[in-house]
């Protein structure tokens, strides 16, 4: 069993690691958009596999953060994290709060990139479906 200090250090280290992971995620989402834009299915699959691996790491890190907060009998949410930060020495508190804010900003940015990619993919799907499902014999009468 780790000590409370070790658990807090691991949580703070996890925030730093997740910031880097979200930066990597943003780059992968940009690569995904490029691959989608040129309909490069092989590249889409490659990037998709990298995204899945990164999502698994981010999920595990969030789960670890949640478990750490629960071990201190704090809620597994922003309020619980803020309560934990309030118990830190001032020098560590400011840095922890900045890391958490940066992490949240990166997560929001990646969410926006993912939504953008989803819209592109949906548009392509609709366009290809319309092209593949059109029946030239009935084209004149469909209007």
């Amino acid at each position: 069993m780790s000590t409370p200090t070790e658990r807090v250090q691991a949580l703070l280290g996890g925030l730093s690691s997740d910031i880097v992971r979200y930066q990597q995620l943003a780059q992968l989402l940009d690569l995904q958009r490029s691959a989608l834009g040129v309909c490069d299915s092989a590249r889409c699959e490659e990037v998709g596999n990298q995204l899945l691996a990164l999502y698994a790491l981010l999920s595990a890190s969030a789960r670890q953060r949640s478990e750490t907060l629960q071990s201190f009998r704090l809620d597994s949410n922003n309020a619980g994290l803020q309560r934990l930060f309030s118990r830190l020495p001032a020098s560590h508190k400011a840095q922890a709060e900045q890391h958490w804010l940066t992490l949240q900003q990166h997560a929001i940015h990646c969410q926006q990139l993912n939504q953008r990619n989803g819209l592109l993919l949906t548009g392509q799907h609709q366009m290809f479906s319309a092209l593949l499902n059109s029946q030239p014999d009935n084209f004149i009468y469909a209007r």
Side-chain angles (χ1 to χ4, degrees):
M1 189 91 176
S2 59
T3 67
T5 300
E6 290 171 336
R7 289 184 300 210
V8 170
Q9 288 173 339
L11 184 143
L12 297 177
L15 293 178
S16 296
S17 295
D18 280 353
I19 289 170
V20 172
R21 288 180 184 130
Y22 272 107
Q23 290 169 337
Q24 294 169 341
L25 182 62
Q27 291 173 349
L28 285 173
L29 289 168
D30 281 337
L31 288 174
Q32 183 184 50
R33 180 170 179 85
S34 296
L36 287 169
V38 295
C39 299
D40 184 346
S41 62
R43 184 71 174 139
C44 283
E45 183 176 357
E46 178 186 335
V47 172
N49 289 333
Q50 292 173 351
L51 286 168
L52 289 175
L54 202 49
Y55 288 145
L57 291 173
L58 287 165
S59 179
S61 181
R63 191 171 36 261
Q64 183 62 44
R65 224 177 354 265
S66 176
E67 291 170 4
T68 299
L69 290 171
Q70 290 173 0
S71 76
F72 290 114
R73 303 212 187 285
L74 296 170
D75 292 334
S76 296
N77 57 22
N78 185 54
L81 207 51
Q82 294 302 325
R83 281 194 65 202
L84 179 67
F85 292 163
S86 72
R87 297 175 184 172
L88 297 175
S91 60
H92 295 311
K93 178 184 177 197
Q95 183 181 17
E97 289 174 336
Q98 183 57 50
H99 277 51
W100 179 240
L101 179 63
T102 301
L103 179 61
Q104 289 176 310
Q105 290 169 341
H106 282 296
I108 290 168
H109 177 66
C110 287
Q111 193 173 37
Q112 291 168 343
L113 293 175
N114 193 49
Q115 287 174 338
R116 174 197 71 178
N117 290 359
L119 290 173
L120 175 60
L121 189 59
T122 299
Q124 286 178 335
H125 176 72
Q126 290 172 344
M127 180 185 67
F128 289 128
S129 290
L131 288 172
L132 293 174
N133 293 327
S134 65
Q135 298 177 357
D137 295 339
N138 297 331
F139 178 75
I140 295 174
Y141 302 108
R143 292 183 175 205

